[in-house]
Amino acid sequence: MLQRKRWRFAMLAFLPTLAIFAWVRIYPIGETLRLSLHKWDILSKNKPFIGLDNFRELFHDRLFLDALVNTSIIAFGVLAVTIPLALVIAALIHHRTQSRFSGFYETAIFIPHVVSLVPAAMAWKWIFDAKLGPLNALLQYFGIPAQAWLFDPVLSVICIIVLCSWQALGYAVLIYLVGFKNLPLSLFEAAKLDGATGIQRFWHVSVPLLKPITLYVSVVTLISGFNVYAQAFVLASDSQGAPGRQVRVLVLDMLENSFRNYRVGYAASEAVVLLAIVLVLTLIQFGLLREKGGRS
Amino acid sequence: MRARGRLVNLAIDIFLFAFSLLMLLPLVFLVSNAFKTPQELLVWPPTVIPADPTVENFRAVLADTPLARWIFNSLAFAVLSMIAIVATSAISGYVLAKFRFRSLNVIFVIILATAIVPFEVYMIPLYFQAQMLGVLNSTWGLLLGYLVMSFGIFLIRQNVVHSIPDELLEAARIDGAGEFWIFWRIVLPLLRGALGALAVLAFFQAWTSFAWPMIVTTTRESYTIEVGLALFQTGFTVDLGRLSAASATVLVPSITLFVILRRNFVQSVASTGLKE
């Protein structure tokens, strides 16, 4: 009797959420998978099943490959900048926990992670601006010629990496700080007795112990790197609004294929590739974590 | 030895202080540029405090764009999304934690698994859903993408498991309390901290979203602030002062809100740290 009443409550309370979840998550995800196997063109009446043809075509598609390469460079570039920097900054903040300013450090470094993307990107767009920007002015002050930061395809990618790293850093520092707080103090005391210097303790005690956290932050950073879109949109579209000037990233290519070329099935197959990349990264993370847990 | 340690600490403090300022510098310049005259914007080195502050940029932006409307759209979207996510997460997190039916475990695993799937992967089919419902260019269309949050459900479930003992619920049941009463009067108050953290996270998630609003809204009146600004900056007649003014108008309130809610926010990110 009691059991039945509980069951009824659970169902009544949970069903609406479950229905919403099925409707706005499960169904669209399933639909992406289904569309990716069809020649699903908005303009044509026939939407035949074509198996893996979309995927085959993708890997001969110059624009897609460009986007894939750019996105990978951005994702790994952000990773390469963020992880070492975050580790050092977090170690220093942790070392100065007693400092009167430690709250300020944390907040200041974390703010870029939470501010709206577009206005923040606008600030950087000015910094990189070829004629008005302070970056070029600074370079010229040191006798280095001005660069067309946001017009050169290679430099644009670097600019996007800088912007994304600036944003990702606060999150990584925060997670590392949690990690530093949970490190066993006894190990540091022992290392100290053995005469290890601060830097040695950091390198030989903290860094190895923080490996699971490094792994976690790396995967999260990479995944958000592969989803990059707004940053590329704002930084690398010129003031004439010409989309040709944009640095091609996966999400942009996907949106162009579905909304400009009306090739929804083809765009869906790109989405599946993106999903596969994210899935592989996540599985690597789980695998490495489990291996680690098994040994200890 | 002592003195040397203190010197090292001082050096670290100076470095961290400088680094923090460097991180904030782009935002500081953005706000300061918003108040500069066109002449002063060209000055090198750039001034931090405008020599001749003017609100002309703000006036021009308000004349050029429906900025207030965009902010209102974003605000409505973020608040409704926050309410929806908190409500759905609270209920389903509780049910998933405390009601042991085998089918629920399967559902929980599915919910967890979908957390891995980036929004960009399924937003095109979702767009067609919105189109079919006729809710494009409206808050409802925006909301469709942000009604539930896998991570929120997970976060609440973990909190229920850790902070609400079965004995407490059983005791209430023996006293004759109804299931809904228990949820409302016992469970929710105990979850206040977690729900607060989730609310902040959900609000900022919607407030800063870009790709979804970008495809759902196509009329100038329906843009969110992010989309409005992004498209405004690609226009022909835009100058830097106006762009900065528009950006500063968006940034300053959200930074203020963040600083006020900082503790909640940091906690929600640090506790498990997945954003959808």
Side-chain angles (χ1 to χ4, degrees):
Chain A
M1 178 55 196
L2 204 62
Q3 202 58 21
R4 257 204 18 230
K5 246 161 98 187
R6 292 193 61 194
W7 177 235
R8 209 167 55 208
F9 167 80
M11 281 295 99
L12 279 179
F14 192 34
L15 271 183
T17 307
L18 205 59
I20 295 173
F21 197 84
W23 173 40
V24 299
R25 285 288 180 279
I26 309 287
Y27 172 77
I29 292 172
E31 190 68 358
T32 296
L33 297 175
R34 189 181 76 86
L35 289 176
S36 73
L37 302 175
H38 288 75
K39 188 174 165 57
W40 208 99
D41 193 323
I42 291 185
L43 298 179
S44 80
K45 272 217 181 76
N46 269 354
K47 298 170 163 69
F49 176 85
I50 52 167
L52 296 176
D53 278 4
N54 280 331
F55 295 94
R56 249 170 248 138
E57 194 183 336
L58 269 185
F59 288 93
H60 298 285
D61 178 344
R62 264 240 70 94
L63 292 176
F64 168 75
L65 292 176
D66 276 356
L68 188 62
V69 169
N70 280 337
T71 315
S72 309
I73 292 174
I74 291 168
F76 283 96
V78 174
L79 183 73
V81 175
T82 305
I83 297 293
L85 195 58
L87 194 52
V88 171
I89 297 288
L92 293 179
I93 293 181
H94 180 69
H95 185 75
R96 297 298 296 135
T97 311
Q98 277 95 30
S99 164
R100 174 165 10 147
F101 301 112
S102 67
F104 168 71
Y105 304 150
E106 281 176 46
T107 312
I109 291 169
F110 194 60
I111 277 180
H113 183 69
V114 286
V115 296
S116 312
L117 246 169
V118 175
M122 233 61 109
W124 281 94
K125 196 167 179 160
W126 168 69
I127 292 175
F128 290 130
D129 193 283
K131 285 195 215 90
L132 311 171
L135 179 62
N136 267 346
L138 188 69
L139 288 181
Q140 280 171 314
Y141 183 82
F142 290 108
I144 302 164
Q147 307 289 322
W149 291 103
L150 298 173
F151 286 86
D152 182 286
V154 176
L155 293 178
S156 295
V157 167
I158 293 176
C159 293
I160 294 171
I161 292 175
V162 171
L163 167 59
C164 294
S165 306
W166 175 72
Q167 280 185 300
L169 187 71
Y171 176 77
V173 166
L174 179 71
I175 302 292
Y176 270 126
L177 276 174
V178 176
F180 272 109
K181 279 187 190 120
N182 293 331
L183 289 180
L185 272 175
S186 55
L187 277 173
F188 288 90
E189 296 302 329
K192 220 174 188 171
L193 285 178
D194 288 343
T197 64
I199 291 169
Q200 281 171 333
R201 271 174 284 160
F202 169 72
W203 191 247
H204 293 291
V205 184
S206 305
V207 171
L209 285 175
L210 288 171
K211 219 167 119 190
I213 293 192
T214 302
L215 210 58
Y216 169 75
V217 179
S218 304
V219 172
V220 172
T221 309
L222 274 180
I223 289 176
S224 65
F226 273 101
N227 292 327
V228 64
Y229 173 55
Q231 295 92 334
F233 185 94
V234 175
L235 272 196
S237 70
D238 76 354
S239 59
Q240 305 302 304
R245 272 258 167 253
Q246 282 162 349
V247 170
R248 196 160 273 279
V249 290
L250 282 180
V251 176
L252 174 85
D253 199 56
M254 216 170 85
L255 290 178
E256 271 196 17
N257 272 325
S258 48
F259 293 109
R260 186 168 317 157
N261 308 333
Y262 302 120
R263 303 177 66 196
V264 176
Y266 192 62
S269 66
E270 282 186 76
V272 173
V273 172
L274 179 61
L275 177 60
I277 294 171
V278 170
L279 216 57
V280 166
L281 289 171
T282 312
L283 289 177
I284 290 175
Q285 185 199 13
F286 279 137
L288 289 175
L289 279 183
R290 180 166 306 164
E291 186 188 315
K292 173 103 178 117
R295 232 187 281 135
S296 61
Chain B
M1 190 63 199
R2 258 278 132 97
R4 220 194 112 207
R6 218 174 290 156
L7 210 64
V8 169
N9 282 347
L10 184 69
I12 292 178
D13 264 339
I14 291 171
F15 172 77
L16 284 176
F17 202 83
F19 190 81
S20 302
L21 290 182
L22 202 66
M23 289 292 283
L24 291 178
L25 206 58
L27 302 175
V28 171
F29 272 129
L30 184 77
V31 175
S32 123
N33 284 348
F35 292 96
K36 288 177 187 169
T37 57
Q39 295 81 14
E40 196 176 355
L41 278 167
L42 301 173
V43 171
W44 169 260
T47 45
V48 176
I49 296 163
D52 181 20
T54 165
V55 290
E56 190 41 47
N57 294 320
F58 291 92
R59 198 170 312 143
V61 163
L62 286 173
D64 281 0
T65 67
L67 191 69
R69 173 83 209 196
W70 293 345
I71 292 176
F72 173 80
N73 289 344
S74 282
L75 211 57
F77 167 41
V79 168
L80 290 174
S81 160
M82 176 183 84
I83 294 171
I85 286 175
V86 168
T88 53
S89 302
I91 292 169
S92 42
Y94 169 61
V95 170
L96 286 170
K98 288 298 177 194
F99 294 75
R100 305 257 145 69
F101 306 110
R102 188 163 312 143
S103 49
L104 285 186
N105 282 337
V106 179
I107 290 170
F108 181 58
V109 170
I110 293 174
I111 288 176
L112 259 189
T114 60
I116 299 166
V117 184
F119 189 79
E120 286 77 4
V121 167
Y122 55 85
M123 69 182 177
I124 293 168
L126 201 60
Y127 170 85
F128 290 118
Q129 296 270 72
Q131 193 181 39
M132 228 160 56
L133 290 170
V135 291
L136 294 180
N137 292 316
S138 76
T139 307
W140 308 116
L142 291 170
L143 210 52
L144 194 64
Y146 289 83
L147 283 172
V148 287
M149 186 180 185
S150 311
F151 168 66
I153 297 174
F154 173 71
L155 180 81
I156 299 304
R157 182 188 177 272
Q158 296 311 91
N159 265 282
V160 172
V161 168
H162 287 134
S163 62
I164 298 176
D166 282 340
E167 292 77 18
L168 185 67
L169 304 177
E170 283 309 319
R173 282 190 191 108
I174 289 165
D175 288 346
E179 290 297 330
F180 182 75
W181 192 91
I182 293 175
F183 175 68
W184 193 255
R185 285 301 174 85
I186 298 179
V187 176
L188 282 188
L190 284 173
L191 289 177
R192 207 181 296 146
L195 289 173
L198 178 61
V200 177
L201 196 62
F203 180 90
F204 274 94
Q205 176 188 259
W207 179 261
T208 58
S209 64
F210 182 71
W212 177 245
M214 184 87 180
I215 61 174
V216 169
T217 62
T218 49
T219 60
R220 216 167 122 93
E221 287 296 303
S222 69
Y223 291 160
T224 61
I225 186 68
E226 294 278 276
V227 176
L229 274 184
L231 295 178
F232 176 53
Q233 65 117 16
T234 59
F236 284 85
T237 53
V238 167
D239 67 65
L240 195 67
R242 289 182 200 195
L243 265 183
S244 305
S247 306
T249 312
V250 187
L251 269 188
V252 174
S254 62
I255 291 179
T256 313
L257 191 63
F258 165 71
V259 172
I260 295 171
L261 298 171
R262 186 179 146 247
R263 199 154 290 182
N264 255 340
F265 191 84
V266 167
Q267 180 199 336
S268 65
V269 172
S271 58
T272 6
L274 266 162
K275 262 207 301 190
E276 210 165 334

